[in-house]
Amino acid sequence: MAAIRGINTKPELLIRHGLHARGFRYRLHDSKLAGRPDLVLPRYRAVVFVNGCFWHGHDCPLFKWPKTREEFWRGKIGGNVERDQRNLAALKAAGWRVGIVWECVLKGKQRLQPTKVLGLLSEWIEGDTSACSIEGRGQETTDTLA
């Protein structure tokens, strides 16, 4: 597991480069904020997480429980999900708007075109809804996180 990246993943880089090309400026992995968000956009009081479906227990076709060491993985991934919820609640309590881009929206059978994903994310950043989750099922949900 030491080889698994936590930052600068391919989906994260795609989102970062796309937002930068659209004129958004951001900070990366701010350790002062709960959960160290992947992108922090202070001008919009928004943070963006680019989450891997496996590591964050997303209910999508890309997530499957491992067949070996089931107890370990249930504890590990369950702990990640609980920590994510605490971090989202802390960020919202501090007045931040929270967006999540799930890995399945960028790869897999139900993926969207990167320009569509970037368009949805850009609209949310410039909008006024407090939360956004962009998923690979072609869904975008707002104001339903934590």
Side-chain angles (χ1 to χ4, degrees):
M1 284 195 304
I4 303 298
R5 288 182 177 195
I7 59 173
N8 298 329
T9 61
K10 286 182 183 179
E12 181 186 335
L13 291 175
L14 188 138
I15 296 297
R16 282 172 29 188
H17 293 159
L19 288 178
H20 192 272
R22 290 173 179 248
F24 291 99
R25 299 300 177 253
Y26 46 80
R27 294 190 318 248
L28 300 175
H29 313 290
D30 190 342
S31 61
K32 295 176 186 149
L33 295 176
R36 288 187 64 207
D38 296 315
L39 302 171
V40 180
L41 297 108
R43 176 180 177 187
Y44 300 95
R45 196 81 176 141
V47 297
V48 177
F49 289 94
V50 183
N51 285 350
C53 294
F54 176 76
W55 296 106
H56 296 272
H58 189 229
D59 181 26
C60 74
L62 292 184
F63 176 75
K64 291 183 177 42
W65 287 105
K67 300 292 184 203
T68 59
R69 300 179 63 200
E70 290 183 39
E71 187 176 319
F72 167 80
W73 286 111
R74 291 198 184 273
K76 172 95 173 135
I77 294 169
N80 289 349
V81 171
E82 289 174 14
R83 186 176 59 246
D84 288 345
Q85 292 301 317
R86 284 193 311 268
N87 290 336
L88 293 176
L91 288 166
K92 287 182 121 187
W96 288 94
R97 299 169 50 234
V98 180
I100 298 175
V101 178
W102 290 97
E103 176 186 27
C104 57
V105 78
L106 299 170
K107 69 185 219 182
K109 290 182 182 177
Q110 298 176 334
R111 70 179 174 265
L112 299 177
Q113 291 296 321
T115 54
K116 173 73 172 166
V117 175
L118 291 166
L120 290 170
L121 189 57
S122 298
E123 287 177 26
W124 172 76
I125 290 170
E126 292 176 326
D128 60 356
T129 55
S130 65
C132 173
S133 178
I134 303 173
E135 305 178 15
R137 295 169 237 171
Q139 298 175 336
E140 176 193 16
T141 55
T142 55
D143 290 329
T144 58
L145 301 175

